[in-house]
Amino acid sequence: MTEVNWDDKWRLGFHLMPPTGWLNDPNGLCQFQGIYHVFFQYSPDDPNGGTKYWGHYTSQDMLNWQYVGIALSPEEVFESHGVYSGSALVKDGKMNLYYTGNVKLDGDYDYIYEGRQGNTILVDSEDGVTFGRKKCLMTNADYPSHLSCHIRDPKVVTGESIGIEDENCYMFLGARTREDTGEVLLYKSGNLTDWELVNILKDKIPFGYMWECPDAFMLDGKKFLSISPQGVQQDGINYQNVYQSGYYEVTGSFDQEYQLERFKEWDRGFDFYAPQTFQDENGRRILIGWIGMPDEPSQTNPTVAQGWQNALTVPREIFLKEGKVMQYPVAELEKLRLSRHTFVSGCTSERRKMYDAEITVVSEDIKIVISEGIELVYDKTHEILTLSFDQEKNLGYGRNKRSVHLQSCEQIRILVDTSCLEIYLNGGEEVFTTRFYTEDGMSDFCVTEGDAKVTYWEMEGLHIDLSAL
């Protein structure tokens, strides 16, 4: 395994990142026996990605974390080319992990329509750290015949959690058809191992060629289906990333007749994909996403030279407010705040590696500049908020501009962590996540136009035990 470079100026402080190597999708998110578990797609020896394992972090409070090590490795024939994404179901005193075992057959195949196996695997644990024998539950032969080889990312939930009044559990599987449209397969089971197809969820108008990383949950009695569709065409300022992540509100029933209402993106930044949610023991619905973007040719991450790439968002609580799905950093993160500072428009903060800024907008328009090369601008006339990088400064390494429609901009919260920004608008009505890279891993910010009241705190990092490396 590559050695950790503790002097790396871009190493993140309060975001979970790979100890070394490559990280992508969050997997198996849950709270089990009082402990938070975050698994993640992991290639420990290659910052550009490679054979996928599951890495594993645990915490009692989402502030003090322990890297437990590699939880799942591709050891069996039915997962020989990678332990792909999946989820956790806590039931009957056990943690049940469901995931996709990726297999690429030898031969001259395209690996889309022929030559690939996406096997659905189950492994369980009584302590959340040691795992039993892996069971292959379904292979491509068990899936509907109209599908390509791309079937993956099982999310398993109880019927009660998605508004189905029975004792079955339900599995959502992302899929790509042979006609190149995305959809989600819905299975049910009464024993966690034998699964029956009960429905196929899709948009009335084809929306992308593949639906990855499905998730389903309820907020205040409303049902939601989250997906990461690939192949969606840009529509003005919408769908600007190479792949998207968002959600539908679902009317009707997941297992019977249903309607998928308007798709909305989770995050409008450059670096957000494959989110997963879970409900903790306090009843909060918490979302964590991957700070990264696969197959994006226009932007890079210079941390590759330091032996690692990508990270996970801070845990975000998601909830409904006035009919809108909101997302906001969990309250625990405020315990990382240190010294408090206030200033008004025209003043510039001190340069810090990590800080948390809360900005109350007094004027209609506002412009915030970070490290003289990143602009956050709200234009009330057009009701557009834009995050943009000065291309000459090269803080974005290929990232340029992203925008969102916003009726008003009243509150802005910016989490800044050495080489990552998470920007929350109006208490989480819209969010932008992006990587950025200053020369020394430090930054400052200033409200250069408009009137605002600013409070910011220097932040300390998470306490992470990496002794298992």
Side-chain angles (χ1 to χ4, degrees), residues 343-348 359-360 362-363 366-367 446-454:
F343 64 77
V344 294
S345 301
C347 299
T348 301
I359 301 162
T360 300
V362 178
S363 56
I366 195 79
K367 180 177 179 180
C446 177
V447 178
T448 61
E449 296 180 16
D451 191 12
K453 298 177 182 178
V454 180

Side-chain angles (χ1 to χ4, degrees), residues 38-78:
V38 173
F39 300 89
F40 56 94
Q41 290 278 277
Y42 190 28
S43 298
D45 298 317
D46 187 350
N48 289 303
T51 300
K52 297 300 190 297
Y53 301 75
W54 276 27
H56 188 191
Y57 283 111
T58 61
S59 177
Q60 293 184 348
D61 57 8
M62 290 192 284
L63 300 174
N64 297 277
W65 291 88
Q66 180 177 9
Y67 173 65
V68 184
I70 292 175
L72 300 177
S73 303
E75 300 161 342
E76 304 289 346
V77 173
F78 49 66

Side-chain angles (χ1 to χ4, degrees), residues 364-383:
E364 289 192 333
D365 297 338
I366 195 79
K367 180 177 179 180
I368 300 167
V369 178
I370 300 171
S371 286
E372 300 181 351
I374 306 170
E375 293 186 355
L376 188 68
V377 178
Y378 180 64
D379 177 354
K380 174 60 178 176
T381 301
H382 299 95
E383 296 185 346

Side-chain angles (χ1 to χ4, degrees), residues 410-445:
E410 300 165 0
Q411 296 283 339
I412 303 172
R413 184 175 177 186
I414 307 176
L415 294 179
V416 183
D417 186 356
T418 65
S419 59
C420 176
L421 296 174
E422 292 191 49
I423 301 168
Y424 296 82
L425 307 172
N426 296 340
E429 179 183 348
E430 297 287 352
V431 186
F432 288 74
T433 300
T434 186
R435 303 302 303 276
F436 77 111
Y437 303 95
T438 61
E439 289 187 1
D440 57 2
M442 301 179 72
S443 64
D444 56 27
F445 71 101

Side-chain angles (χ1 to χ4, degrees), residues 452-463:
K453 298 177 182 178
V454 180
T455 302
Y456 76 97
W457 295 261
E458 184 180 4
M459 294 275 278
E460 66 175 319
L462 301 170
H463 302 278

Side-chain angles (χ1 to χ4, degrees), residues 228-271:
S228 292
Q230 298 180 331
V232 177
Q233 297 299 309
Q234 181 176 338
D235 179 15
I237 63 173
N238 298 321
Y239 319 140
Q240 288 190 268
N241 290 334
V242 62
Y243 302 140
Q244 321 307 321
S245 291
Y247 58 88
Y248 293 98
E249 185 175 342
V250 180
T251 57
S253 180
F254 283 107
D255 64 332
Q256 298 178 31
E257 292 196 9
Y258 66 90
Q259 178 75 33
L260 302 183
E261 305 297 338
R262 185 181 67 90
F263 179 85
K264 186 178 188 302
E265 293 173 75
W266 278 115
D267 192 295
R268 308 300 295 230
F270 301 87
D271 297 88

